[in-house]
Structure formats: C-alpha cells, structure tokens
mmCIF file with all atom_site columns, all heavy atoms in Angstrom:
data_model
loop_
_atom_site.group_PDB
_atom_site.id
_atom_site.type_symbol
_atom_site.label_atom_id
_atom_site.label_alt_id
_atom_site.label_comp_id
_atom_site.label_asym_id
_atom_site.label_entity_id
_atom_site.label_seq_id
_atom_site.pdbx_PDB_ins_code
_atom_site.Cartn_x
_atom_site.Cartn_y
_atom_site.Cartn_z
_atom_site.occupancy
_atom_site.B_iso_or_equiv
_atom_site.pdbx_formal_charge
_atom_site.auth_seq_id
_atom_site.auth_comp_id
_atom_site.auth_asym_id
_atom_site.auth_atom_id
_atom_site.pdbx_PDB_model_num
ATOM 1   N N   . ILE A 1 1  ? -1.890  4.381   -5.402  1.00 72.00 ? 34 ILE A N   1
ATOM 2   C CA  . ILE A 1 1  ? -1.924  3.194   -4.514  1.00 72.00 ? 34 ILE A CA  1
ATOM 3   C C   . ILE A 1 1  ? -3.378  2.681   -4.521  1.00 72.00 ? 34 ILE A C   1
ATOM 4   O O   . ILE A 1 1  ? -3.691  1.447   -4.633  1.00 72.00 ? 34 ILE A O   1
ATOM 5   C CB  . ILE A 1 1  ? -1.330  3.558   -3.164  1.00 72.00 ? 34 ILE A CB  1
ATOM 6   C CG1 . ILE A 1 1  ? 0.152   3.736   -3.302  1.00 72.00 ? 34 ILE A CG1 1
ATOM 7   C CG2 . ILE A 1 1  ? -1.781  2.420   -2.125  1.00 72.00 ? 34 ILE A CG2 1
ATOM 8   C CD1 . ILE A 1 1  ? 0.723   4.254   -2.013  1.00 72.00 ? 34 ILE A CD1 1
ATOM 9   N N   . ASP A 1 2  ? -4.296  3.639   -4.202  1.00 75.00 ? 35 ASP A N   1
ATOM 10  C CA  . ASP A 1 2  ? -5.723  3.199   -4.012  1.00 75.00 ? 35 ASP A CA  1
ATOM 11  C C   . ASP A 1 2  ? -6.261  2.562   -5.239  1.00 75.00 ? 35 ASP A C   1
ATOM 12  O O   . ASP A 1 2  ? -6.987  1.576   -5.200  1.00 75.00 ? 35 ASP A O   1
ATOM 13  C CB  . ASP A 1 2  ? -6.593  4.450   -3.732  1.00 75.00 ? 35 ASP A CB  1
ATOM 14  C CG  . ASP A 1 2  ? -6.276  5.131   -2.399  1.00 75.00 ? 35 ASP A CG  1
ATOM 15  O OD1 . ASP A 1 2  ? -5.747  4.361   -1.557  1.00 75.00 ? 35 ASP A OD1 1
ATOM 16  O OD2 . ASP A 1 2  ? -6.561  6.290   -2.156  1.00 75.00 ? 35 ASP A OD2 1
ATOM 17  N N   . GLY A 1 3  ? -5.835  3.102   -6.504  1.00 73.00 ? 36 GLY A N   1
ATOM 18  C CA  . GLY A 1 3  ? -6.297  2.458   -7.740  1.00 73.00 ? 36 GLY A CA  1
ATOM 19  C C   . GLY A 1 3  ? -5.895  0.979   -7.917  1.00 73.00 ? 36 GLY A C   1
ATOM 20  O O   . GLY A 1 3  ? -6.572  0.132   -8.267  1.00 73.00 ? 36 GLY A O   1
ATOM 21  N N   . TYR A 1 4  ? -4.479  0.828   -7.587  1.00 68.00 ? 37 TYR A N   1
ATOM 22  C CA  . TYR A 1 4  ? -4.034  -0.536  -7.642  1.00 68.00 ? 37 TYR A CA  1
ATOM 23  C C   . TYR A 1 4  ? -4.573  -1.578  -6.649  1.00 68.00 ? 37 TYR A C   1
ATOM 24  O O   . TYR A 1 4  ? -4.865  -2.636  -6.925  1.00 68.00 ? 37 TYR A O   1
ATOM 25  C CB  . TYR A 1 4  ? -2.516  -0.602  -7.453  1.00 68.00 ? 37 TYR A CB  1
ATOM 26  C CG  . TYR A 1 4  ? -1.737  -0.391  -8.677  1.00 68.00 ? 37 TYR A CG  1
ATOM 27  C CD1 . TYR A 1 4  ? -1.298  0.920   -9.230  1.00 68.00 ? 37 TYR A CD1 1
ATOM 28  C CD2 . TYR A 1 4  ? -1.520  -1.427  -9.654  1.00 68.00 ? 37 TYR A CD2 1
ATOM 29  C CE1 . TYR A 1 4  ? -0.777  0.984   -10.485 1.00 68.00 ? 37 TYR A CE1 1
ATOM 30  C CE2 . TYR A 1 4  ? -0.916  -1.324  -10.918 1.00 68.00 ? 37 TYR A CE2 1
ATOM 31  C CZ  . TYR A 1 4  ? -0.585  -0.038  -11.244 1.00 68.00 ? 37 TYR A CZ  1
ATOM 32  O OH  . TYR A 1 4  ? 0.162   0.077   -12.479 1.00 68.00 ? 37 TYR A OH  1
ATOM 33  N N   . GLN A 1 5  ? -4.865  -0.966  -5.417  1.00 72.00 ? 38 GLN A N   1
ATOM 34  C CA  . GLN A 1 5  ? -5.541  -1.885  -4.447  1.00 72.00 ? 38 GLN A CA  1
ATOM 35  C C   . GLN A 1 5  ? -6.970  -2.150  -4.823  1.00 72.00 ? 38 GLN A C   1
ATOM 36  O O   . GLN A 1 5  ? -7.336  -3.478  -4.667  1.00 72.00 ? 38 GLN A O   1
ATOM 37  C CB  . GLN A 1 5  ? -5.634  -1.188  -3.055  1.00 72.00 ? 38 GLN A CB  1
ATOM 38  C CG  . GLN A 1 5  ? -4.163  -0.995  -2.469  1.00 72.00 ? 38 GLN A CG  1
ATOM 39  C CD  . GLN A 1 5  ? -4.261  -0.557  -0.981  1.00 72.00 ? 38 GLN A CD  1
ATOM 40  O OE1 . GLN A 1 5  ? -3.452  -0.836  -0.206  1.00 72.00 ? 38 GLN A OE1 1
ATOM 41  N NE2 . GLN A 1 5  ? -5.504  -0.094  -0.555  1.00 72.00 ? 38 GLN A NE2 1
ATOM 42  N N   . GLU A 1 6  ? -7.688  -1.375  -5.351  1.00 73.00 ? 39 GLU A N   1
ATOM 43  C CA  . GLU A 1 6  ? -9.061  -1.697  -5.890  1.00 73.00 ? 39 GLU A CA  1
ATOM 44  C C   . GLU A 1 6  ? -9.014  -2.610  -6.999  1.00 73.00 ? 39 GLU A C   1
ATOM 45  O O   . GLU A 1 6  ? -9.805  -3.404  -7.215  1.00 73.00 ? 39 GLU A O   1
ATOM 46  C CB  . GLU A 1 6  ? -9.801  -0.399  -6.165  1.00 73.00 ? 39 GLU A CB  1
ATOM 47  C CG  . GLU A 1 6  ? -11.223 -0.569  -6.563  1.00 73.00 ? 39 GLU A CG  1
ATOM 48  C CD  . GLU A 1 6  ? -11.942 0.731   -6.833  1.00 73.00 ? 39 GLU A CD  1
ATOM 49  O OE1 . GLU A 1 6  ? -11.359 1.780   -6.603  1.00 73.00 ? 39 GLU A OE1 1
ATOM 50  O OE2 . GLU A 1 6  ? -12.984 0.566   -7.415  1.00 73.00 ? 39 GLU A OE2 1
ATOM 51  N N   . LYS A 1 7  ? -8.016  -2.383  -8.041  1.00 69.00 ? 40 LYS A N   1
ATOM 52  C CA  . LYS A 1 7  ? -8.073  -3.200  -9.191  1.00 69.00 ? 40 LYS A CA  1
ATOM 53  C C   . LYS A 1 7  ? -7.540  -4.580  -9.004  1.00 69.00 ? 40 LYS A C   1
ATOM 54  O O   . LYS A 1 7  ? -8.043  -5.592  -9.455  1.00 69.00 ? 40 LYS A O   1
ATOM 55  C CB  . LYS A 1 7  ? -7.182  -2.463  -10.242 1.00 69.00 ? 40 LYS A CB  1
ATOM 56  C CG  . LYS A 1 7  ? -7.037  -3.186  -11.602 1.00 69.00 ? 40 LYS A CG  1
ATOM 57  C CD  . LYS A 1 7  ? -6.351  -2.352  -12.424 1.00 69.00 ? 40 LYS A CD  1
ATOM 58  C CE  . LYS A 1 7  ? -6.260  -3.068  -13.887 1.00 69.00 ? 40 LYS A CE  1
ATOM 59  N NZ  . LYS A 1 7  ? -5.413  -2.251  -14.859 1.00 69.00 ? 40 LYS A NZ  1
ATOM 60  N N   . PHE A 1 8  ? -6.467  -4.657  -8.084  1.00 65.00 ? 41 PHE A N   1
ATOM 61  C CA  . PHE A 1 8  ? -5.883  -5.986  -7.973  1.00 65.00 ? 41 PHE A CA  1
ATOM 62  C C   . PHE A 1 8  ? -6.108  -6.725  -6.600  1.00 65.00 ? 41 PHE A C   1
ATOM 63  O O   . PHE A 1 8  ? -5.661  -7.816  -6.371  1.00 65.00 ? 41 PHE A O   1
ATOM 64  C CB  . PHE A 1 8  ? -4.378  -5.885  -8.146  1.00 65.00 ? 41 PHE A CB  1
ATOM 65  C CG  . PHE A 1 8  ? -3.885  -5.503  -9.542  1.00 65.00 ? 41 PHE A CG  1
ATOM 66  C CD1 . PHE A 1 8  ? -3.480  -4.125  -9.899  1.00 65.00 ? 41 PHE A CD1 1
ATOM 67  C CD2 . PHE A 1 8  ? -3.973  -6.297  -10.659 1.00 65.00 ? 41 PHE A CD2 1
ATOM 68  C CE1 . PHE A 1 8  ? -3.113  -3.709  -11.124 1.00 65.00 ? 41 PHE A CE1 1
ATOM 69  C CE2 . PHE A 1 8  ? -3.640  -5.867  -11.904 1.00 65.00 ? 41 PHE A CE2 1
ATOM 70  C CZ  . PHE A 1 8  ? -3.188  -4.513  -12.137 1.00 65.00 ? 41 PHE A CZ  1
ATOM 71  N N   . ARG A 1 9  ? -6.760  -6.032  -5.793  1.00 72.00 ? 42 ARG A N   1
ATOM 72  C CA  . ARG A 1 9  ? -7.099  -6.563  -4.429  1.00 72.00 ? 42 ARG A CA  1
ATOM 73  C C   . ARG A 1 9  ? -5.997  -7.008  -3.753  1.00 72.00 ? 42 ARG A C   1
ATOM 74  O O   . ARG A 1 9  ? -5.831  -8.105  -3.249  1.00 72.00 ? 42 ARG A O   1
ATOM 75  C CB  . ARG A 1 9  ? -8.144  -7.659  -4.560  1.00 72.00 ? 42 ARG A CB  1
ATOM 76  C CG  . ARG A 1 9  ? -9.474  -7.323  -5.172  1.00 72.00 ? 42 ARG A CG  1
ATOM 77  C CD  . ARG A 1 9  ? -10.367 -8.465  -5.185  1.00 72.00 ? 42 ARG A CD  1
ATOM 78  N NE  . ARG A 1 9  ? -11.772 -8.118  -5.748  1.00 72.00 ? 42 ARG A NE  1
ATOM 79  C CZ  . ARG A 1 9  ? -12.791 -8.840  -5.856  1.00 72.00 ? 42 ARG A CZ  1
ATOM 80  N NH1 . ARG A 1 9  ? -12.646 -10.101 -5.602  1.00 72.00 ? 42 ARG A NH1 1
ATOM 81  N NH2 . ARG A 1 9  ? -13.859 -8.584  -6.350  1.00 72.00 ? 42 ARG A NH2 1
ATOM 82  N N   . ARG A 1 10 ? -4.986  -6.098  -3.598  1.00 77.00 ? 43 ARG A N   1
ATOM 83  C CA  . ARG A 1 10 ? -3.795  -6.295  -2.747  1.00 77.00 ? 43 ARG A CA  1
ATOM 84  C C   . ARG A 1 10 ? -3.376  -5.061  -2.060  1.00 77.00 ? 43 ARG A C   1
ATOM 85  O O   . ARG A 1 10 ? -3.734  -3.916  -2.618  1.00 77.00 ? 43 ARG A O   1
ATOM 86  C CB  . ARG A 1 10 ? -2.754  -6.930  -3.645  1.00 77.00 ? 43 ARG A CB  1
ATOM 87  C CG  . ARG A 1 10 ? -2.252  -6.031  -4.757  1.00 77.00 ? 43 ARG A CG  1
ATOM 88  C CD  . ARG A 1 10 ? -1.633  -6.775  -5.912  1.00 77.00 ? 43 ARG A CD  1
ATOM 89  N NE  . ARG A 1 10 ? -2.528  -7.731  -6.495  1.00 77.00 ? 43 ARG A NE  1
ATOM 90  C CZ  . ARG A 1 10 ? -2.334  -8.503  -7.533  1.00 77.00 ? 43 ARG A CZ  1
ATOM 91  N NH1 . ARG A 1 10 ? -1.153  -8.361  -8.222  1.00 77.00 ? 43 ARG A NH1 1
ATOM 92  N NH2 . ARG A 1 10 ? -3.157  -9.345  -7.956  1.00 77.00 ? 43 ARG A NH2 1
ATOM 93  N N   . SER A 1 11 ? -2.612  -5.127  -1.003  1.00 82.00 ? 44 SER A N   1
ATOM 94  C CA  . SER A 1 11 ? -2.216  -3.872  -0.309  1.00 82.00 ? 44 SER A CA  1
ATOM 95  C C   . SER A 1 11 ? -0.937  -3.287  -0.857  1.00 82.00 ? 44 SER A C   1
ATOM 96  O O   . SER A 1 11 ? -0.036  -4.071  -1.124  1.00 82.00 ? 44 SER A O   1
ATOM 97  C CB  . SER A 1 11 ? -1.995  -4.334  1.145   1.00 82.00 ? 44 SER A CB  1
ATOM 98  O OG  . SER A 1 11 ? -3.199  -4.719  1.758   1.00 82.00 ? 44 SER A OG  1
ATOM 99  N N   . VAL A 1 12 ? -0.893  -1.998  -1.052  1.00 83.00 ? 45 VAL A N   1
ATOM 100 C CA  . VAL A 1 12 ? 0.358   -1.311  -1.470  1.00 83.00 ? 45 VAL A CA  1
ATOM 101 C C   . VAL A 1 12 ? 0.760   -0.198  -0.400  1.00 83.00 ? 45 VAL A C   1
ATOM 102 O O   . VAL A 1 12 ? -0.176  0.607   -0.149  1.00 83.00 ? 45 VAL A O   1
ATOM 103 C CB  . VAL A 1 12 ? -0.004  -0.738  -2.837  1.00 83.00 ? 45 VAL A CB  1
ATOM 104 C CG1 . VAL A 1 12 ? 1.364   -0.050  -3.290  1.00 83.00 ? 45 VAL A CG1 1
ATOM 105 C CG2 . VAL A 1 12 ? -0.367  -1.703  -3.893  1.00 83.00 ? 45 VAL A CG2 1
ATOM 106 N N   . TYR A 1 13 ? 1.923   -0.314  0.033   1.00 83.00 ? 46 TYR A N   1
ATOM 107 C CA  . TYR A 1 13 ? 2.314   0.636   0.947   1.00 83.00 ? 46 TYR A CA  1
ATOM 108 C C   . TYR A 1 13 ? 3.935   0.917   0.883   1.00 83.00 ? 46 TYR A C   1
ATOM 109 O O   . TYR A 1 13 ? 4.556   0.067   0.230   1.00 83.00 ? 46 TYR A O   1
ATOM 110 C CB  . TYR A 1 13 ? 1.908   0.447   2.362   1.00 83.00 ? 46 TYR A CB  1
ATOM 111 C CG  . TYR A 1 13 ? 2.455   -0.991  2.871   1.00 83.00 ? 46 TYR A CG  1
ATOM 112 C CD1 . TYR A 1 13 ? 3.533   -1.079  3.740   1.00 83.00 ? 46 TYR A CD1 1
ATOM 113 C CD2 . TYR A 1 13 ? 1.577   -2.095  2.451   1.00 83.00 ? 46 TYR A CD2 1
ATOM 114 C CE1 . TYR A 1 13 ? 3.918   -2.350  4.229   1.00 83.00 ? 46 TYR A CE1 1
ATOM 115 C CE2 . TYR A 1 13 ? 1.924   -3.349  3.014   1.00 83.00 ? 46 TYR A CE2 1
ATOM 116 C CZ  . TYR A 1 13 ? 3.114   -3.480  3.856   1.00 83.00 ? 46 TYR A CZ  1
ATOM 117 O OH  . TYR A 1 13 ? 3.542   -4.751  4.250   1.00 83.00 ? 46 TYR A OH  1
ATOM 118 N N   . PHE A 1 14 ? 4.372   2.053   1.396   1.00 83.00 ? 47 PHE A N   1
ATOM 119 C CA  . PHE A 1 14 ? 5.867   2.381   1.402   1.00 83.00 ? 47 PHE A CA  1
ATOM 120 C C   . PHE A 1 14 ? 6.372   2.455   2.783   1.00 83.00 ? 47 PHE A C   1
ATOM 121 O O   . PHE A 1 14 ? 5.569   3.016   3.699   1.00 83.00 ? 47 PHE A O   1
ATOM 122 C CB  . PHE A 1 14 ? 5.930   3.666   0.711   1.00 83.00 ? 47 PHE A CB  1
ATOM 123 C CG  . PHE A 1 14 ? 5.716   3.702   -0.800  1.00 83.00 ? 47 PHE A CG  1
ATOM 124 C CD1 . PHE A 1 14 ? 4.378   3.959   -1.208  1.00 83.00 ? 47 PHE A CD1 1
ATOM 125 C CD2 . PHE A 1 14 ? 6.623   3.482   -1.714  1.00 83.00 ? 47 PHE A CD2 1
ATOM 126 C CE1 . PHE A 1 14 ? 3.973   3.966   -2.542  1.00 83.00 ? 47 PHE A CE1 1
ATOM 127 C CE2 . PHE A 1 14 ? 6.197   3.466   -3.107  1.00 83.00 ? 47 PHE A CE2 1
ATOM 128 C CZ  . PHE A 1 14 ? 4.939   3.781   -3.428  1.00 83.00 ? 47 PHE A CZ  1
ATOM 129 N N   . ILE A 1 15 ? 7.551   1.952   2.994   1.00 85.00 ? 48 ILE A N   1
ATOM 130 C CA  . ILE A 1 15 ? 8.116   2.033   4.277   1.00 85.00 ? 48 ILE A CA  1
ATOM 131 C C   . ILE A 1 15 ? 9.577   2.596   4.120   1.00 85.00 ? 48 ILE A C   1
ATOM 132 O O   . ILE A 1 15 ? 10.211  2.507   3.126   1.00 85.00 ? 48 ILE A O   1
ATOM 133 C CB  . ILE A 1 15 ? 8.208   0.753   5.042   1.00 85.00 ? 48 ILE A CB  1
ATOM 134 C CG1 . ILE A 1 15 ? 9.050   -0.264  4.317   1.00 85.00 ? 48 ILE A CG1 1
ATOM 135 C CG2 . ILE A 1 15 ? 6.810   0.261   5.190   1.00 85.00 ? 48 ILE A CG2 1
ATOM 136 C CD1 . ILE A 1 15 ? 9.415   -1.545  5.093   1.00 85.00 ? 48 ILE A CD1 1
ATOM 137 N N   . THR A 1 16 ? 10.117  3.253   5.226   1.00 83.00 ? 49 THR A N   1
ATOM 138 C CA  . THR A 1 16 ? 11.515  3.662   5.185   1.00 83.00 ? 49 THR A CA  1
ATOM 139 C C   . THR A 1 16 ? 12.394  2.439   5.720   1.00 83.00 ? 49 THR A C   1
ATOM 140 O O   . THR A 1 16 ? 11.876  1.430   6.040   1.00 83.00 ? 49 THR A O   1
ATOM 141 C CB  . THR A 1 16 ? 11.636  4.802   6.320   1.00 83.00 ? 49 THR A CB  1
ATOM 142 O OG1 . THR A 1 16 ? 11.373  4.206   7.566   1.00 83.00 ? 49 THR A OG1 1
ATOM 143 C CG2 . THR A 1 16 ? 10.827  5.958   5.913   1.00 83.00 ? 49 THR A CG2 1
ATOM 144 N N   . SER A 1 17 ? 13.657  2.632   5.612   1.00 85.00 ? 50 SER A N   1
ATOM 145 C CA  . SER A 1 17 ? 14.646  1.486   5.956   1.00 85.00 ? 50 SER A CA  1
ATOM 146 C C   . SER A 1 17 ? 14.498  1.263   7.467   1.00 85.00 ? 50 SER A C   1
ATOM 147 O O   . SER A 1 17 ? 14.748  0.237   7.918   1.00 85.00 ? 50 SER A O   1
ATOM 148 C CB  . SER A 1 17 ? 16.058  1.993   5.547   1.00 85.00 ? 50 SER A CB  1
ATOM 149 O OG  . SER A 1 17 ? 16.405  3.190   6.153   1.00 85.00 ? 50 SER A OG  1
ATOM 150 N N   . GLU A 1 18 ? 13.968  2.291   8.331   1.00 87.00 ? 51 GLU A N   1
ATOM 151 C CA  . GLU A 1 18 ? 13.695  2.076   9.551   1.00 87.00 ? 51 GLU A CA  1
ATOM 152 C C   . GLU A 1 18 ? 12.496  1.290   9.957   1.00 87.00 ? 51 GLU A C   1
ATOM 153 O O   . GLU A 1 18 ? 12.197  0.855   11.056  1.00 87.00 ? 51 GLU A O   1
ATOM 154 C CB  . GLU A 1 18 ? 13.806  3.281   10.400  1.00 87.00 ? 51 GLU A CB  1
ATOM 155 C CG  . GLU A 1 18 ? 15.117  4.001   10.495  1.00 87.00 ? 51 GLU A CG  1
ATOM 156 C CD  . GLU A 1 18 ? 15.402  4.640   9.119   1.00 87.00 ? 51 GLU A CD  1
ATOM 157 O OE1 . GLU A 1 18 ? 14.482  5.110   8.375   1.00 87.00 ? 51 GLU A OE1 1
ATOM 158 O OE2 . GLU A 1 18 ? 16.685  4.967   8.787   1.00 87.00 ? 51 GLU A OE2 1
ATOM 159 N N   . GLY A 1 19 ? 11.583  1.176   9.002   1.00 86.00 ? 52 GLY A N   1
ATOM 160 C CA  . GLY A 1 19 ? 10.285  0.457   9.151   1.00 86.00 ? 52 GLY A CA  1
ATOM 161 C C   . GLY A 1 19 ? 9.098   1.354   9.335   1.00 86.00 ? 52 GLY A C   1
ATOM 162 O O   . GLY A 1 19 ? 7.930   0.776   9.659   1.00 86.00 ? 52 GLY A O   1
ATOM 163 N N   . THR A 1 20 ? 9.227   2.645   9.264   1.00 84.00 ? 53 THR A N   1
ATOM 164 C CA  . THR A 1 20 ? 8.095   3.536   9.378   1.00 84.00 ? 53 THR A CA  1
ATOM 165 C C   . THR A 1 20 ? 7.250   3.592   8.076   1.00 84.00 ? 53 THR A C   1
ATOM 166 O O   . THR A 1 20 ? 7.821   3.701   7.047   1.00 84.00 ? 53 THR A O   1
ATOM 167 C CB  . THR A 1 20 ? 8.593   5.041   9.602   1.00 84.00 ? 53 THR A CB  1
ATOM 168 O OG1 . THR A 1 20 ? 9.352   4.983   10.905  1.00 84.00 ? 53 THR A OG1 1
ATOM 169 C CG2 . THR A 1 20 ? 7.393   5.981   9.759   1.00 84.00 ? 53 THR A CG2 1
ATOM 170 N N   . VAL A 1 21 ? 5.916   3.439   8.181   1.00 81.00 ? 54 VAL A N   1
ATOM 171 C CA  . VAL A 1 21 ? 5.052   3.360   7.022   1.00 81.00 ? 54 VAL A CA  1
ATOM 172 C C   . VAL A 1 21 ? 4.822   4.848   6.654   1.00 81.00 ? 54 VAL A C   1
ATOM 173 O O   . VAL A 1 21 ? 4.254   5.643   7.368   1.00 81.00 ? 54 VAL A O   1
ATOM 174 C CB  . VAL A 1 21 ? 3.693   2.780   7.403   1.00 81.00 ? 54 VAL A CB  1
ATOM 175 C CG1 . VAL A 1 21 ? 2.810   2.791   6.207   1.00 81.00 ? 54 VAL A CG1 1
ATOM 176 C CG2 . VAL A 1 21 ? 3.914   1.281   7.727   1.00 81.00 ? 54 VAL A CG2 1
ATOM 177 N N   . MET A 1 22 ? 5.370   5.170   5.493   1.00 76.00 ? 55 MET A N   1
ATOM 178 C CA  . MET A 1 22 ? 5.266   6.691   4.995   1.00 76.00 ? 55 MET A CA  1
ATOM 179 C C   . MET A 1 22 ? 3.860   6.919   4.270   1.00 76.00 ? 55 MET A C   1
ATOM 180 O O   . MET A 1 22 ? 3.366   8.014   4.412   1.00 76.00 ? 55 MET A O   1
ATOM 181 C CB  . MET A 1 22 ? 6.531   6.915   4.098   1.00 76.00 ? 55 MET A CB  1
ATOM 182 C CG  . MET A 1 22 ? 7.783   6.774   4.841   1.00 76.00 ? 55 MET A CG  1
ATOM 183 S SD  . MET A 1 22 ? 7.948   7.863   6.276   1.00 76.00 ? 55 MET A SD  1
ATOM 184 C CE  . MET A 1 22 ? 7.812   9.573   5.482   1.00 76.00 ? 55 MET A CE  1
ATOM 185 N N   . LEU A 1 23 ? 3.626   5.974   3.349   1.00 75.00 ? 56 LEU A N   1
ATOM 186 C CA  . LEU A 1 23 ? 2.435   6.135   2.501   1.00 75.00 ? 56 LEU A CA  1
ATOM 187 C C   . LEU A 1 23 ? 1.700   4.817   2.318   1.00 75.00 ? 56 LEU A C   1
ATOM 188 O O   . LEU A 1 23 ? 2.349   3.796   2.124   1.00 75.00 ? 56 LEU A O   1
ATOM 189 C CB  . LEU A 1 23 ? 2.831   6.730   1.203   1.00 75.00 ? 56 LEU A CB  1
ATOM 190 C CG  . LEU A 1 23 ? 1.673   7.292   0.234   1.00 75.00 ? 56 LEU A CG  1
ATOM 191 C CD1 . LEU A 1 23 ? 0.985   8.466   0.867   1.00 75.00 ? 56 LEU A CD1 1
ATOM 192 C CD2 . LEU A 1 23 ? 2.448   7.735   -0.938  1.00 75.00 ? 56 LEU A CD2 1
ATOM 193 N N   . SER A 1 24 ? 0.300   4.814   2.516   1.00 77.00 ? 57 SER A N   1
ATOM 194 C CA  . SER A 1 24 ? -0.267  3.549   2.451   1.00 77.00 ? 57 SER A CA  1
ATOM 195 C C   . SER A 1 24 ? -1.720  3.845   2.182   1.00 77.00 ? 57 SER A C   1
ATOM 196 O O   . SER A 1 24 ? -2.446  4.714   2.467   1.00 77.00 ? 57 SER A O   1
ATOM 197 C CB  . SER A 1 24 ? -0.282  2.865   3.911   1.00 77.00 ? 57 SER A CB  1
ATOM 198 O OG  . SER A 1 24 ? -0.947  1.666   3.899   1.00 77.00 ? 57 SER A OG  1
ATOM 199 N N   . GLY A 1 25 ? -2.350  2.818   1.386   1.00 70.00 ? 58 GLY A N   1
ATOM 200 C CA  . GLY A 1 25 ? -3.728  2.750   1.265   1.00 70.00 ? 58 GLY A CA  1
ATOM 201 C C   . GLY A 1 25 ? -4.401  1.515   1.963   1.00 70.00 ? 58 GLY A C   1
ATOM 202 O O   . GLY A 1 25 ? -5.520  1.270   1.739   1.00 70.00 ? 58 GLY A O   1
ATOM 203 N N   . SER A 1 26 ? -3.625  0.902   2.841   1.00 70.00 ? 59 SER A N   1
ATOM 204 C CA  . SER A 1 26 ? -4.040  -0.345  3.551   1.00 70.00 ? 59 SER A CA  1
ATOM 205 C C   . SER A 1 26 ? -4.520  0.060   4.900   1.00 70.00 ? 59 SER A C   1
ATOM 206 O O   . SER A 1 26 ? -3.966  0.906   5.622   1.00 70.00 ? 59 SER A O   1
ATOM 207 C CB  . SER A 1 26 ? -2.841  -1.312  3.605   1.00 70.00 ? 59 SER A CB  1
ATOM 208 O OG  . SER A 1 26 ? -3.195  -2.379  4.494   1.00 70.00 ? 59 SER A OG  1
ATOM 209 N N   . LYS A 1 27 ? -5.599  -0.501  5.246   1.00 71.00 ? 60 LYS A N   1
ATOM 210 C CA  . LYS A 1 27 ? -6.064  -0.252  6.573   1.00 71.00 ? 60 LYS A CA  1
ATOM 211 C C   . LYS A 1 27 ? -5.398  -1.080  7.676   1.00 71.00 ? 60 LYS A C   1
ATOM 212 O O   . LYS A 1 27 ? -5.233  -0.549  8.736   1.00 71.00 ? 60 LYS A O   1
ATOM 213 C CB  . LYS A 1 27 ? -7.714  -0.886  6.859   1.00 71.00 ? 60 LYS A CB  1
ATOM 214 C CG  . LYS A 1 27 ? -8.656  -0.214  5.901   1.00 71.00 ? 60 LYS A CG  1
ATOM 215 C CD  . LYS A 1 27 ? -10.027 -0.566  5.970   1.00 71.00 ? 60 LYS A CD  1
ATOM 216 C CE  . LYS A 1 27 ? -10.968 0.175   5.107   1.00 71.00 ? 60 LYS A CE  1
ATOM 217 N NZ  . LYS A 1 27 ? -12.379 -0.404  5.259   1.00 71.00 ? 60 LYS A NZ  1
ATOM 218 N N   . GLN A 1 28 ? -4.598  -1.970  7.312   1.00 74.00 ? 61 GLN A N   1
ATOM 219 C CA  . GLN A 1 28 ? -3.680  -2.745  8.091   1.00 74.00 ? 61 GLN A CA  1
ATOM 220 C C   . GLN A 1 28 ? -2.418  -1.853  8.380   1.00 74.00 ? 61 GLN A C   1
ATOM 221 O O   . GLN A 1 28 ? -1.964  -1.966  9.477   1.00 74.00 ? 61 GLN A O   1
ATOM 222 C CB  . GLN A 1 28 ? -3.481  -4.120  7.606   1.00 74.00 ? 61 GLN A CB  1
ATOM 223 C CG  . GLN A 1 28 ? -2.471  -4.961  8.586   1.00 74.00 ? 61 GLN A CG  1
ATOM 224 C CD  . GLN A 1 28 ? -2.063  -6.252  7.779   1.00 74.00 ? 61 GLN A CD  1
ATOM 225 O OE1 . GLN A 1 28 ? -2.871  -6.805  6.932   1.00 74.00 ? 61 GLN A OE1 1
ATOM 226 N NE2 . GLN A 1 28 ? -0.951  -6.758  8.109   1.00 74.00 ? 61 GLN A NE2 1
#
C-alpha cells in the first residue's frame, strides 16, 4: 500500500462490509 501511494500519489485502504478501516496507508 505504501509503495503504491508513494508511486501514484493516491490513497489505498481496505474496509470491511460494515465500514471499518482494516488496513491503510492514508493519514485520512
């Protein structure tokens, strides 16, 4: 995730179907 965020300048994160952020490289 961190590599793609740095390379493409976009946020990448994973959420569950309930909306909980499980894994993220985004400060937001």
Side-chain angles (χ1 to χ4, degrees):
I34 290 175
D35 292 340
Y37 270 96
Q38 289 196 159
E39 181 178 352
K40 182 176 181 181
F41 296 106
R42 295 184 179 179
R43 60 205 62 170
S44 298
V45 180
Y46 53 100
F47 294 85
I48 65 172
T49 63
S50 56
E51 292 77 25
T53 302
V54 179
M55 299 301 295
L56 191 61
S57 172
S59 169
K60 295 180 180 178
Q61 177 185 335

